[in-house]
Amino acid sequence: MEELNHFFVTLSGYLWGWPTIILLLGTHVFLTIRLRFPQRHILKALRLSVTPDKGAKGDVSQFGSLATALAATIGTGNIVGVATAVALGGPGAVLWCWLTGVFGMSTKYGESLLAVKYRERTADGKMAGGPMYALEKGLGWKWLAVLFAIFTVIASFGIGNTVQANAIAALAEKTYSVSPYVTGAIVALFTGAVVVGGVKSIAKVCEWVVPLMALLYIVGCVYVLCLNAEYVIPAIVKIGSAAFSPQAMGGGFVGSTILIAARYGIARGLFSNESGLGSASIAAAAAQTKNPVRQALVASTGTFWDTVVICAITGIVLVSCILANPGIDYKDGAELANAAFGDIPVIGKPLLSFGMFTFAFTTILGWSYYGERAMEYLNGGIIKHIYRWVFVASIFFGSVISLNLVWNVSDCMNALMAIPNLVAVLMLSSVIVKETRHYLWEGRLDEEMK
């Protein structure tokens, strides 16, 4: 097991090295320029996300699709992931993480557009789409589509299941002395009750839980910032200066090069918002939408909320906490998160616990749908129902076992998902531009897709 774990650690290091990071960030920038900065349509996209396309084809509302994608995207990485970026890359990593989100909106837009354009109805009448369908129908590369689906299924049991369940169980045991066995059974039971109803059930739960958890978390962060009010502006200045400075200056921070800050900020941003991973586009394909561009705009708001808003405010909270407590040991991401939130009077521990629990639980729900759709693509019919129950059972086991190997395998699977998805997005970028020109640039956003 140690040798196997070492293999995946080494493989993950290669897969998530600078070439992959440059490919991802380069795709973000390329699409941003080629699509004439679709980020400028954010207000229109936000309006569309809460405006139902009545009578349009699809399984769930546009907001339900977005909520499902956000459920899988907003996870423990928004708290511990950002804290780890600050711990390893210094305060400047926060700005690089934020910039990754801003440009990543273009890639999320592009991959979601392709998901809707190439989606199809399954034998049971449900909509199915995502990178595997874009690769097969758009490029004719069935073999690469199959590989993407396989990597997605494996990742769904790792980063989308056992890792999240373990995070919930560890939090419950450390904070409230609840046995991991009890926590695992409860989380598995709740998950099973939701996923048995398929995407409509998952979307319905996410439509309520995701906005509530995000709102309460943001309100809690604002409260923390109010307590550290005198350090908020210095924290923002520190984040900006450290992102482009050879080393962080003063305030208890150890020197950090620009490249280190950029590397960890970009990597954590990509892990957090999943732009380029292709996972969120699977949920986008289920949306009731008139045309691909409308849902692509809605899907792009997922990256906006996840990284541009939530990760940014988390980063400011963490850096302001370090400035307020210069003696704090911030070189461990989890400890930094605990220090920033756990010691706040009255709401500190409940806020951190609520954020970690809901973020992890909704991630499980979202990834259960991704994995099921990928499994159905590989072999439809009864196999997807078997997948659901194996997925639920894995939650219990993930709560009570050590996950070093699972983490490293999941990291590899995520990278292996991103590469074929980015191939599809880049190779089909002319299709993305054509659809955008027709529906958005030429003012036909309300036109039905033929």
Side-chain angles (χ1 to χ4, degrees):
M1 290 298 291
E2 288 184 5
E3 291 181 357
L4 185 62
N5 187 54
H6 178 71
F7 168 78
F8 280 106
V9 168
T10 304
L11 180 60
S12 178
Y14 284 117
L15 291 174
W16 282 112
W18 274 109
T20 302
I21 291 176
I22 291 171
L23 174 63
L24 277 159
L25 191 59
T27 302
H28 293 350
V29 175
F30 170 74
L31 287 178
T32 294
I33 296 172
R34 190 160 191 200
L35 293 171
R36 303 179 186 175
F37 290 82
Q39 295 88 340
R40 59 196 173 94
H41 299 290
I42 183 61
L43 294 179
K44 182 181 294 184
L46 291 171
R47 176 180 59 80
L48 288 173
S49 69
V50 293
T51 306
D53 268 3
K54 296 181 179 179
K57 297 177 181 178
D59 301 328
V60 297
S61 67
Q62 289 181 301
F63 181 72
S65 170
L66 173 63
T68 302
L70 276 173
T73 305
I74 300 177
T76 53
N78 292 82
I79 302 176
V80 177
V82 176
T84 302
V86 173
L88 298 175
V94 176
L95 180 59
W96 287 107
C97 179
W98 184 81
L99 288 173
T100 301
V102 172
F103 287 101
M105 291 171 63
S106 298
T107 302
K108 186 68 70 72
Y109 170 93
E111 62 191 19
S112 299
L113 186 155
L114 294 175
V116 176
K117 179 173 177 59
Y118 293 112
R119 68 183 179 178
E120 59 184 41
R121 283 200 180 275
T122 59
D124 60 0
K126 298 292 192 300
M127 286 291 188
M132 50 275 199
Y133 293 89
L135 285 163
E136 180 182 354
K137 298 173 68 176
L139 295 174
W141 295 351
K142 174 78 172 181
W143 64 274
L144 195 55
V146 169
L147 285 177
F148 176 88
I150 292 172
F151 298 145
T152 302
V153 170
I154 298 174
S156 73
F157 283 104
I159 196 68
N161 181 317
T162 51
V163 168
Q164 304 299 328
N166 193 267
I168 296 173
L171 177 68
E173 182 178 30
K174 183 176 181 179
T175 308
Y176 305 105
S177 301
V178 178
S179 168
Y181 291 91
V182 174
T183 303
I186 293 174
V187 176
L189 182 64
F190 275 103
T191 303
V194 176
V195 303
V196 71
V199 66
K200 291 185 177 181
S201 177
I202 294 172
K204 188 174 182 179
V205 171
C206 292
E207 283 180 5
W208 286 96
V209 176
V210 171
L212 177 63
M213 74 177 190
L215 178 62
L216 291 178
Y217 179 72
I218 291 172
V219 169
C221 286
V222 171
Y223 175 75
V224 174
L225 293 176
C226 289
L227 293 179
N228 291 333
E230 63 181 296
Y231 298 100
V232 172
I233 299 300
I236 295 174
V237 172
K238 176 68 70 176
I239 289 169
S241 62
F244 302 101
S245 174
Q247 64 180 42
M249 299 170 289
F253 293 102
V254 178
S256 174
T257 67
I258 298 174
L259 289 178
I260 292 176
R263 176 186 175 187
Y264 287 107
I266 293 170
R268 292 300 167 182
L270 295 171
F271 270 119
S272 175
N273 60 53
E274 296 183 8
S275 294
L277 199 62
S279 51
S281 66
I282 298 175
Q288 296 168 343
T289 185
K290 293 178 181 177
N291 57 66
V293 171
R294 288 176 73 92
Q295 185 56 32
L297 287 169
V298 171
S300 70
T301 66
T303 299
F304 171 79
W305 288 120
D306 175 86
T307 306
V308 179
V309 176
I310 295 178
C311 283
I313 196 171
T314 301
I316 296 171
V317 166
L318 295 171
V319 177
S320 66
C321 175
I322 296 172
L323 291 176
N325 304 275
I328 189 174
D329 180 11
Y330 71 93
K331 285 303 179 183
D332 181 282
E335 290 302 318
L336 175 56
N338 284 326
F341 294 97
D343 294 334
I344 301 300
V346 183
I347 73 162
K349 287 187 177 180
L351 171 63
L352 185 60
S353 299
F354 175 81
M356 292 286 286
F357 176 83
T358 54
F359 285 10
F361 178 66
T362 55
T363 296
I364 292 173
L365 294 182
W367 271 92
S368 71
Y369 178 68
Y370 296 161
E372 180 180 317
R373 277 298 177 223
M375 181 64 77
E376 187 171 24
Y377 176 82
L378 293 170
N379 187 353
I382 195 172
I383 193 72
K384 72 175 184 180
H385 298 290
I386 296 175
Y387 168 85
R388 289 179 184 175
W389 296 115
V390 174
F391 186 89
V392 171
S394 297
I395 294 171
F396 176 80
F397 291 108
S399 301
V400 300
I401 62 174
S402 175
L403 291 181
N404 286 337
L405 177 59
V406 176
W407 260 114
N408 293 319
V409 172
S410 298
D411 284 348
C412 293
M413 292 306 107
N414 283 348
L416 292 172
M417 285 174 64
I419 293 170
N421 176 61
L422 291 172
V423 168
V425 170
L426 291 172
M427 295 292 289
L428 294 170
S429 61
S430 59
V431 175
I432 298 171
V433 172
K434 181 181 178 181
E435 296 289 317
T436 302
R437 178 181 294 109
H438 179 81
Y439 291 108
L440 183 59
W441 299 344
E442 296 179 359
R444 300 190 183 96
L445 204 54
D446 293 324
E447 182 179 299
E448 291 275 357
M449 178 175 61
K450 296 179 181 179

